[in-house]
Amino acid sequence: ENNEIGLEFLASKEVTNFYREWLKFLQFEKNYSNHTIINYSSDLKFFFKYLNEYLGQEVNSKVLIEITKLELRSWFAKRYKDD
């Protein structure tokens, strides 16, 4: 799969902006390594892609608030299977 997924195609503008601010926070406030930030970013993009396909809708704040354990487990299982 392509790691260069455009988040703007998967998530609302609000979620995309929060995602970008979170990455800046990790880089500048927490001083995380670039490698860690790239991995976190990749995982989150793949999670959003999964939610987008699984739920058939754009990922927005309501979707994120209402994520269930089943949906998380399903994504983990898919990631494990794909690796």
Side-chain angles (χ1 to χ4, degrees):
E1 278 184 279
N2 183 357
N3 191 23
E4 296 301 317
I5 302 165
L7 196 61
E8 62 276 1
F9 296 111
L10 304 174
S12 68
K13 186 174 183 175
E14 174 191 24
V15 171
T16 301
N17 288 339
F18 180 78
Y19 162 83
R20 290 181 178 140
E21 290 301 314
W22 178 70
L23 291 179
K24 288 179 190 175
F25 169 77
L26 295 179
Q27 181 180 9
F28 299 114
E29 301 295 326
K30 300 298 279 184
N31 201 30
Y32 282 15
S33 74
N34 285 338
H35 182 73
T36 298
I37 293 170
I38 288 167
N39 286 330
Y40 281 12
S41 175
S42 176
D43 286 343
L44 202 52
K45 285 179 183 180
F46 281 117
F47 182 58
F48 284 179
K49 183 176 188 290
Y50 168 78
L51 286 175
N52 184 268
E53 292 170 357
Y54 180 79
L55 299 172
Q57 69 181 65
E58 175 183 77
V59 177
N60 56 42
S61 57
K62 183 176 187 291
V63 166
L64 294 177
I65 290 168
E66 296 178 354
I67 289 172
T68 66
K69 288 181 186 178
L70 178 63
E71 290 161 342
L72 283 173
R73 287 180 182 157
S74 176
W75 178 67
F76 284 127
K78 180 175 176 11
R79 289 288 289 171
Y80 179 76
K81 185 183 133 210
D82 290 348
D83 287 343

